[in-house]
Amino acid sequence: MLLLLTGAAILRVSLFSDICLRYVKEGLQPFLIASGFVLVCFGLAGALRHGLRFIMRRESTSSAPAGTAAAPDGHDHAEVPGIAWLLAAPALVLLMFAPPALGSYTAARDSPKVVEVYDHFKRLPARGPVPLSLTEFTARVQQDRAKSLSGRTVVLSGFVTPGKNGTWDLTRLLVACCAADSQSLTVTMHGVPAPPPDTWVKVTGTWHPSGALGTASAALALDVRSLERIPQPLSPYQDRPPTA
């Protein structure tokens, strides 16, 4: 029964919805679906075998002569101990209540993501606000010697994490496998009040001049001109440029 419940819970969050993307990368979804089917099959096989054994035990009990001796220790080992059903509680919780994706609480306590060194940067569009992922924004601010973001308006998206001294950060959590190995990318926001923590927003602004742009001393910060609340993306751990 426990295998059946667990398998059904896994299928609920991976096959019948995309809730599993709150916990794992997209590439692992097919493996979750396969494991859910395997658990359901094992659970059904166990339930069928237990049902047949129950029927056979009833028939043998009804045909046995009165006064048949019980097991040597006085216990009926064919019955599952009642306390074992407590193991079904976690499976029921997973089946009925799917935990949310990681958010500001984790980001505030997480290790920062180290952005890899870029060999080169693509030329930015000549005009208009430039949508960037937090990864590319971080790399251009601290690595691009051509200072491509100088005076350029960019568009970023992420969720709100409270910062220090009344500031707030735009944050993305990145995972290599699942939520357990998450690392955070943050950009400090200036110029607008902080929305509630964990709110997903799209911000438009320019690099906040602090430090030398194109070097490691450059601040990962943005002077915000406009802010728009957006729904949480389907894959919250994919750091992608915001869409129009």
Side-chain angles (χ1 to χ4, degrees):
M1 185 65 172
L2 183 60
L3 290 177
L4 189 59
L5 287 174
T6 305
I10 292 175
L11 290 178
R12 179 204 169 217
V13 300
S14 60
L15 179 62
F16 301 110
S17 71
D18 291 314
I19 294 176
C20 66
L21 298 181
R22 300 176 186 175
Y23 323 122
V24 299
K25 295 184 70 173
E26 288 180 274
L28 295 178
Q29 188 172 8
F31 296 99
L32 280 178
I33 295 174
S35 63
F37 274 118
V38 169
L39 289 175
V40 167
C41 290
F42 277 120
L44 290 174
L48 180 60
R49 185 177 61 178
H50 180 76
L52 292 175
R53 190 167 59 235
F54 177 75
I55 295 174
M56 293 175 63
R57 188 168 66 250
R58 286 189 60 184
E59 291 178 349
S60 62
T61 302
S62 61
S63 61
T68 302
D73 57 1
H75 298 286
D76 183 4
H77 296 284
E79 294 293 335
V80 177
I83 196 171
W85 287 103
L86 292 177
L87 295 173
L92 286 172
V93 170
L94 180 62
L95 183 62
M96 300 174 65
F97 307 102
L102 300 179
S104 60
Y105 179 87
T106 301
R109 294 157 178 79
D110 227 344
S111 56
K113 171 70 174 177
V114 177
V115 175
E116 63 182 9
V117 177
Y118 278 53
D119 295 328
H120 67 281
F121 293 92
K122 295 181 179 180
R123 186 183 298 274
L124 295 178
R127 302 179 181 180
V130 183
L132 295 176
S133 65
L134 261 61
T135 300
E136 185 175 357
F137 177 81
T138 299
R140 286 184 180 271
V141 166
Q142 296 190 333
Q143 299 179 28
D144 187 8
R145 302 294 180 178
K147 302 180 181 180
S148 59
L149 292 187
S150 179
R152 291 302 306 268
T153 300
V154 300
V155 184
L156 309 175
S157 66
F159 62 85
V160 176
T161 301
K164 299 178 181 179
N165 302 321
T167 63
W168 62 282
D169 295 332
L170 188 70
T171 306
R172 283 279 193 166
L173 289 173
L174 307 181
V175 301
C177 170
C178 60
D181 60 22
S182 65
Q183 292 181 301
S184 61
L185 278 173
T186 60
V187 176
T188 302
M189 301 288 108
H190 296 272
V192 293
D198 296 314
T199 303
W200 280 83
V201 296
K202 180 168 64 175
V203 296
T204 303
T206 56
W207 174 69
H208 179 76
S210 178
L213 185 61
T215 70
S217 68
L220 297 176
L222 195 76
D223 287 327
V224 180
R225 296 179 180 175
S226 66
L227 179 149
E228 176 187 352
R229 297 194 182 195
I230 60 174
Q232 177 180 293
L234 181 62
S235 301
Y237 305 124
Q238 295 288 333
D239 182 28
R240 295 169 176 161
T243 56

